[in-house]
Amino acid sequence: MELKLGRMESELNHINPDLLQPSKNCKVLPLMFTLNVGGYLYITQKQTLSKYPGSFLEEVASRKRQGVPTDSKGNPFIDRDGPLFRHILNFLRTGELILPEGFQECGLLVREAEFYGLERLAEAIKEHERTRGSSAETTFLEVIDSHERSQGLKVFCSDPDFIERLKGRIVQVSKSRLDGFPEEFAISSNAVQFRHFIKSETGTRLVLKEDNTFVCTLETLKFETVMMAFRRGFRLITSLDSSKGSIVHCEGLHFIK
């Protein structure tokens, strides 16, 4: 037995010590961290989440924060806005606030940044809003319902992109969607307007094709226009007449952005 131990010790002494070291060509994978935010999984490096010591994410990544729930896979779960978290993560990665053109959720993103304890990001978002507000031109939107057969509804907007989107929505909600854009409308880069075939009936007004097939109600188109305006950040400046009963019954609506 002693003879065998002596032989093993002798063989170990002759082993090349470099063989006991990690290969220089062996790449050590960075420490990855999976986070579940509102049902969205994000995989990043632990050091990315730890960029700002004392922040919520740094404490989660370092396991210093107690009581953080986990999902079925054992990943830390944060019950916050999942899609918006990508902007949080991009800021941690680059150190810059980079938002897509036309981003309309700055207020919500500020609240998310404050929740995570990222004051620098919150200030960057606010500054982005101030800069955009001072440099952007005012956009006007007008919705006029003249109740006339030849000009039942006219929508004018100084932003051609809004008119283009409205055109697509008209195709979706009308019975002409299989035929493309309905012929009942005249369209330019800044306006869309009925040309003809508006029939007045009790309780509703219909938009008809030349063959008298039903397209949709005029109130439906006006409602879709108003909802699109609100979704795209327009603000109503018209003084509504309460006797009209509904916004879609007003003859004139004016918005700015």
Side-chain angles (χ1 to χ4, degrees):
M1 186 67 178
E2 291 181 0
L3 180 60
K4 290 182 178 180
L5 290 174
R7 180 195 287 178
M8 291 175 63
E9 184 178 354
S10 176
E11 291 176 352
L12 287 173
N13 289 333
H14 288 84
I15 292 178
N16 185 344
D18 289 340
L19 297 178
L20 300 177
Q21 303 297 324
S23 169
K24 296 179 180 179
N25 295 324
C26 178
K27 295 182 179 179
V28 180
L29 292 176
L31 184 59
M32 308 304 290
F33 197 91
T34 302
L35 200 60
N36 185 334
V37 183
Y40 288 75
L41 291 181
Y42 290 89
I43 303 176
T44 185
Q45 296 186 49
K46 182 178 178 181
Q47 66 184 37
T48 300
L49 298 176
S50 304
K51 187 169 184 179
Y52 292 93
S55 67
F56 181 94
L57 295 173
E58 186 272 331
E59 292 183 354
V60 170
S62 61
R63 310 290 183 181
K64 292 187 293 187
R65 180 169 285 267
Q66 302 297 318
V68 178
T70 57
D71 61 15
S72 59
K73 302 293 185 181
N75 302 312
F77 174 77
I78 304 176
D79 192 14
R80 301 295 295 188
D81 194 308
L84 275 184
F85 187 75
R86 71 186 182 98
H87 303 300
I88 304 286
L89 194 54
N90 283 335
F91 175 78
L92 294 176
R93 288 167 173 160
T94 65
E96 297 180 80
L97 174 65
I98 304 175
L99 297 175
E101 185 176 352
F103 184 75
Q104 297 292 329
E105 298 183 292
C106 285
L108 182 56
L109 189 56
V110 167
R111 290 195 292 271
E112 293 299 291
E114 292 174 344
F115 169 82
Y116 292 114
L118 301 172
E119 293 301 325
R120 180 177 172 187
L121 173 57
E123 287 302 318
I125 301 168
K126 294 174 184 177
E127 179 61 28
H128 170 80
E129 277 287 84
R130 287 192 291 267
T131 302
R132 186 174 67 172
S134 61
S135 61
E137 295 183 1
T138 301
T139 303
F140 298 94
L141 169 64
E142 182 180 55
V143 183
I144 300 296
D145 183 358
S146 64
H147 296 273
E148 295 180 6
R149 180 179 176 84
S150 61
Q151 296 181 352
L153 180 69
K154 179 179 180 180
V155 179
F156 170 84
C157 186
S158 58
D159 179 9
D161 181 64
F162 182 89
I163 296 298
E164 189 64 29
R165 289 175 181 269
L166 179 61
K167 177 182 174 181
R169 188 57 183 160
I170 290 174
V171 172
Q172 288 180 356
V173 302
S174 73
K175 296 295 184 180
S176 302
R177 55 184 176 273
L178 297 179
D179 303 325
F181 192 68
E183 295 180 355
E184 288 74 17
F185 300 87
I187 188 168
S188 67
S189 60
N190 290 101
V192 59
Q193 180 177 1
F194 281 115
R195 291 193 296 194
H196 45 226
F197 302 110
I198 299 170
K199 180 181 178 182
S200 297
E201 293 184 356
T202 303
T204 186
R205 283 177 297 151
L206 306 181
V207 183
L208 303 178
K209 295 172 67 66
E210 290 189 18
D211 58 4
N212 286 334
T213 57
F214 174 67
V215 178
C216 58
T217 66
L218 194 62
E219 281 74 14
T220 296
L221 294 180
K222 190 188 293 187
F223 177 79
E224 292 291 342
T225 303
V226 171
M227 293 307 297
M228 181 179 292
F230 287 143
R231 285 195 296 268
R232 293 184 61 80
F234 281 92
R235 179 165 53 90
L236 180 65
I237 59 174
T238 300
S239 296
L240 295 179
D241 181 355
S242 59
S243 65
K244 297 294 183 179
S246 170
I247 192 171
V248 298
H249 294 111
C250 293
E251 296 183 4
L253 296 172
H254 300 85
F255 302 80
I256 60 170
K257 182 173 70 169

